[in-house]
Amino acid sequence: MSTITQEHEKITKEKLSDQERQYILLTQNGLPIIQEPYHAIAEQMNLSVEQVLSLTKSMQERGIIRRIAAVPNHYKLGYQFNGMTVWDIDDEQAEKFGDAVGRLPFVSHCYLRPRFLPEWNYNLFAMVHGKTEESITKYRGQIKELLKEVLVSRNHDSSQDIITKSNDMLTSTAILKKTGLRLKK
């Protein structure tokens, strides 16, 4: 089940208050890019800033809002190459090494996911961005060096024509618009 589907199911199971719905509608395209964005939201909702922050915290605690983060357009910043590196690493070491990969300066996000053997043996995902194809290939090599002692070596399954590798890099062929939850007005 996709994360978006899970979020939608969670929200449809738990009825939103009118105030929560208004908050989502005001913020679903991003926070205002001003020095005090929560003040502007508070003003639009006829609430105090403290009430808006309390509402935000409550919605985070209940899983309606997963996170609040800046989402820069890396293409406009000159980073036109990106790749999702995928890794098959030892499960017992996954959190420790995943955390180390996530702290690398060229990794924008990193997370663990379940494998779907035998077709998909990767459990660690790390997105890298660069200004050239060579730079993201270099970053993949640096991650591989960091993970070399925990990479899993699997046997090739010739009966199903499945080739297993310890890592790969999936590169973008198009710019996709990233959006979070959207409510209809």
Side-chain angles (χ1 to χ4, degrees):
M1 181 181 305
S2 75
T3 303
I4 292 171
T5 304
Q6 290 171 351
E7 288 175 8
H8 178 70
E9 284 185 3
K10 181 168 187 80
I11 289 171
T12 55
K13 284 181 187 173
E14 182 177 335
K15 182 131 174 75
L16 294 173
S17 70
D18 290 342
Q19 202 172 62
E20 290 167 337
R21 185 173 177 72
Q22 181 185 14
Y23 178 95
I24 291 171
L25 287 170
L26 287 172
T27 60
Q28 68 186 3
N29 290 320
L31 293 174
I33 303 176
I34 57 174
Q35 189 168 352
E36 296 179 319
Y38 291 102
H39 287 72
I41 294 167
E43 188 175 309
Q44 289 179 290
M45 294 182 71
N46 283 332
L47 297 173
S48 70
V49 174
E50 291 75 23
Q51 288 173 303
V52 169
L53 293 174
S54 176
L55 180 63
T56 304
K57 183 177 180 183
S58 168
M59 291 172 69
Q60 284 179 304
E61 288 170 351
R62 293 175 13 238
I64 295 169
I65 297 174
R66 284 194 310 144
R67 70 181 180 142
I68 298 170
V71 182
N73 182 328
H74 56 275
Y75 289 94
K76 287 185 179 178
L77 297 172
Y79 293 87
Q80 297 183 359
F81 294 86
N82 58 75
M84 176 62 76
T85 62
V86 293
W87 306 89
D88 185 2
I89 65 171
D90 176 41
D91 287 323
E92 292 181 18
Q93 299 290 323
E95 282 197 38
K96 174 184 169 187
F97 280 85
D99 187 52
V101 170
R103 286 194 311 270
L104 294 171
F106 49 83
V107 172
S108 63
H109 50 286
C110 181
Y111 45 89
L112 296 170
R113 290 288 185 261
R115 294 179 178 89
F116 291 94
L117 295 172
E119 294 86 9
W120 188 258
N121 56 301
Y122 307 112
N123 60 342
L124 178 67
F125 297 70
M127 179 62 88
V128 297
H129 302 277
K131 294 187 176 187
T132 64
E133 190 171 351
E134 293 77 22
S135 65
I136 63 172
T137 300
K138 176 181 145 196
Y139 296 152
R140 177 184 177 194
Q142 289 176 19
I143 296 172
K144 187 173 185 176
E145 181 63 26
L146 177 68
L147 297 175
K148 67 182 177 187
E149 64 186 70
V150 293
L151 287 173
V152 175
S153 177
R154 297 183 188 273
N155 293 329
H156 170 72
D157 186 348
S158 58
S159 67
Q160 296 183 18
D161 276 340
I162 296 173
I163 299 171
T164 56
K165 300 186 289 185
S166 64
N167 70 92
D168 203 351
M169 183 163 57
L170 314 170
T171 55
S172 298
T173 57
I175 300 172
L176 303 174
K177 181 165 174 37
K178 299 174 199 154
T179 60
L181 172 68
R182 294 288 181 259
L183 295 181
K184 294 179 182 175
K185 295 182 181 189

